């Protein structure tokens, strides 16, 4: 088991303290008085960002998936050709210096579309000021990935007036985060902590199966395991994998399946989960099931992300690995 002294010793930059404050951060950001922006007459929204910033776009794509708004998430250098005067381009870079996202911002500035950028200072803020582009400065908490609720709930507050996102759903998601904290945060380093329990179970390479609608959760979990615990991780769409990836289980391996399931998954998806579990049991493959809470899509997604991010921190501590340093990422950036 982990005790508080071990957690404090290995997590030298105290990432866990920021995660303990996630519900408080979310509430404070949504209650903040940001300058409003007036965007109307649009039917297309593009979110651009990398890593933790890109995960915010994934969450918005999930929230807006059942609306009439066409949502695209760009994790790279290029805007889609579908951008028009009815498009809102949202660029997100916690540092404000993400090369790929800055390139997308520049491309958007040359087009007849609406733009709003979010960063904690950096080149992005400077570019927006020089080119009279809407920009909102949001303070980074600890690191870009730990700043997830800081940016998500600030952006929700700013975009909510003109997006079909119900305010009560946002408030409910924060309330459920507060309840989740009691179970998974550093105040409960006991065997009753489900995030810690999952971290102890992961001792090989996890493969994360997800349904349509929870892709953002699976991608975020993979990224957090890679950055915090410094381990390999794989994601698979549960339906698509039944047409290809499932065959790889014909041979024994060191892969561990984690099944992320929504309580209201499509009926045929639920059927597929049962078949997949039957298959794993037939093959004597140990797996873990993670279920979303009841509630709106934002509450489901943000609670799963909170739970699984904490799992990645606990996995790092159990492996005696400091979750904060990301030296390989710095190596890449220094070469650009």
């Amino acid at each position: 088991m982990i005790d508080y002294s071990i957690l404090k010793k290995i997590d030298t930059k105290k990432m866990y303290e920021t995660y303990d404050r996630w519900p408080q951060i979310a509430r404070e950001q949504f209650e903040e008085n940001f300058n409003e922006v007036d965007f109307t007459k649009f039917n297309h929204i593009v979110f651009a960002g990398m890593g933790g910033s890109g995960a915010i776009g994934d969450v918005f794509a999930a929230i807006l998936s059942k609306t009439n708004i066409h949502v695209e998430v760009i994790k790279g250098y290029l805007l889609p050709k579908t951008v028009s005067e009815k498009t809102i381009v949202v660029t997100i870079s916690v540092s404000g210096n993400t090369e790929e996202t800055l390139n997308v911002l520049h491309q958007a500035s040359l087009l007849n579309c609406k733009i709003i950028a979010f960063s904690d200072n950096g080149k992005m803020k400077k570019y927006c000021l020089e080119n009279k582009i809407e920009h909102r400065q949001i303070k980074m908490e600890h690191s870009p990935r730990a700043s997830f609720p800081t940016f998500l709930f600030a952006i929700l507050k700013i975009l909510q007036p003109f997006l079909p996102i119900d305010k009560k759903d946002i408030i409910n998601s924060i309330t459920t985060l507060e309840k989740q904290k009691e179970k998974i945060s550093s105040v409960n380093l006991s065997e009753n902590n489900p995030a810690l329990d999952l971290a102890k179970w992961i001792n090989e390479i996890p493969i994360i199966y997800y349904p349509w609608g929870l892709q953002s959760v699976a991608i975020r979990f993979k990224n957090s395991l890679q950055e915090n615990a410094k381990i390999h991780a794989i994601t698979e769409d549960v339906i698509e994998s039944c047409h290809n990836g499932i065959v790889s289980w014909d041979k024994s391996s060191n892969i561990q399946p984690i099944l992320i399931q929504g309580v209201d998954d499509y009926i045929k998806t639920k059927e597929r989960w049962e078949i997949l579990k039957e298959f794993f049991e037939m093959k004597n493959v140990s797996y873990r099931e993670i279920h979303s809470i009841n509630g709106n899509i934002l509450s489901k997604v943000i609670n799963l992300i909170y739970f699984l991010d904490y799992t990645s921190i606990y996995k790092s501590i159990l492996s005696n690995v400091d979750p904060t340093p990301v030296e390989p990422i710095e190596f890449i950036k220094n070469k650009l």
Side-chain angles (χ1 to χ4, degrees):
M1 291 298 294
I2 297 173
D3 62 33
Y4 191 76
S5 62
I6 293 172
L7 181 62
K8 189 176 180 179
K9 179 182 177 181
I10 298 175
D11 186 357
T12 62
K13 301 297 183 182
K14 297 182 173 58
M15 181 182 284
Y16 70 90
E17 288 187 353
T18 302
Y19 273 82
D20 283 350
R21 293 178 52 244
W22 264 31
Q24 177 187 342
I25 291 169
R27 191 172 292 280
E28 289 173 351
Q29 290 300 105
F30 193 66
E31 291 175 352
E32 185 71 38
N33 291 320
F34 294 101
N35 290 334
E36 294 185 358
V37 61
D38 183 22
F39 288 153
T40 56
K41 297 181 180 179
F42 68 94
N43 57 18
H44 181 210
I45 185 164
V46 174
F47 290 90
M50 306 299 299
S53 300
I56 294 169
D58 292 332
V59 171
F60 271 95
I63 297 169
L64 299 172
S65 62
K66 294 184 179 180
T67 70
N68 293 325
I69 300 171
H70 176 207
V71 182
E72 293 184 74
V73 180
I74 306 303
K75 298 179 181 180
Y77 289 94
L78 302 176
L79 270 174
K81 298 293 184 182
T82 49
V83 171
S84 71
E85 70 278 0
K86 291 188 176 181
T87 300
I88 299 173
V89 175
V90 181
T91 62
I92 306 168
S93 170
V94 177
S95 68
N97 298 313
T98 307
E99 181 180 90
E100 300 90 337
T101 313
L102 287 169
N103 195 66
V104 170
L105 176 61
H106 174 65
Q107 291 176 60
S109 71
L110 303 177
L111 302 174
N112 183 26
C113 62
K114 305 168 181 69
I115 311 170
I116 184 166
F118 299 93
S119 72
D120 181 4
N121 223 324
K123 295 177 183 178
M124 182 169 285
K125 180 181 178 181
K126 184 174 184 290
Y127 186 89
C128 289
L129 290 174
E130 291 174 350
N131 293 276
K132 298 181 179 179
I133 295 170
E134 292 283 356
H135 177 272
R136 298 294 180 271
Q137 186 168 353
I138 303 169
K139 183 178 179 295
M140 180 172 69
E141 297 277 352
H142 183 277
S143 59
R145 59 194 183 278
S147 297
F148 180 79
T150 317
F151 274 69
L152 176 62
F153 284 90
I155 296 170
L156 278 167
K157 176 65 176 290
I158 294 164
L159 302 188
Q160 191 255 338
F162 55 86
L163 288 181
I165 300 173
D166 201 317
K167 182 178 179 179
K168 68 176 175 51
D169 287 347
I170 301 173
I171 298 299
N172 178 259
S173 71
I174 297 171
T175 301
T176 57
L177 271 184
E178 292 166 341
K179 294 177 181 178
Q180 180 79 286
K181 174 187 171 179
E182 297 173 6
K183 302 174 186 176
I184 66 172
S185 72
S186 68
V187 300
N188 178 30
L189 296 177
S190 72
E191 56 188 27
N192 296 321
N193 183 323
L196 179 53
D197 180 64
L198 179 60
K200 289 192 294 181
W201 179 79
I202 298 172
N203 53 37
E204 298 289 354
I205 299 173
I207 182 168
I208 306 156
Y209 289 94
Y210 64 89
W212 183 85
L214 295 180
Q215 181 182 31
S216 60
V217 174
I219 293 173
R220 172 73 185 196
F221 187 30
K222 174 185 71 70
N223 293 350
S224 295
L225 286 168
Q226 291 166 336
E227 291 188 69
N228 294 336
K230 282 72 175 174
I231 64 173
H232 291 288
I234 306 165
T235 60
E236 285 262 19
D237 179 293
V238 62
I239 303 301
E240 173 66 14
S241 68
C242 292
H243 292 267
N244 36 63
I246 192 71
V247 181
S248 61
W249 290 103
D250 264 351
K251 294 176 65 177
S252 61
S253 71
N254 62 341
I255 306 296
Q256 294 181 281
I258 298 175
L259 318 182
I260 299 178
Q261 301 165 63
V263 292
D264 56 354
D265 282 344
Y266 178 56
I267 187 170
K268 297 299 290 184
T269 303
K270 288 183 176 181
E271 177 186 49
R272 201 65 60 99
W273 285 126
E274 294 306 314
I275 296 171
L276 192 62
K277 287 184 283 185
E278 180 183 346
F279 177 80
F280 285 145
E281 288 160 8
M282 182 179 68
K283 293 286 186 178
N284 293 316
V285 174
S286 176
Y287 62 88
R288 280 295 184 98
E289 298 180 70
I290 307 298
H291 296 273
S292 77
I293 64 169
N294 287 300
N296 63 77
I297 183 62
L298 176 60
S299 295
K300 291 188 182 80
V301 167
I302 192 66
N303 273 270
L304 282 168
I305 287 175
Y306 192 27
F307 170 76
L308 295 168
D309 263 38
Y310 237 125
T311 296
S312 72
I313 294 174
Y314 291 138
K315 176 60 184 173
S316 74
I317 304 304
L318 289 166
S319 303
N320 198 28
V321 172
D322 190 336
T324 297
V326 285
E327 292 176 6
I329 294 176
E330 296 305 319
F331 174 82
I332 298 294
K333 287 182 177 179
N334 292 334
K335 291 291 183 178
L336 294 172

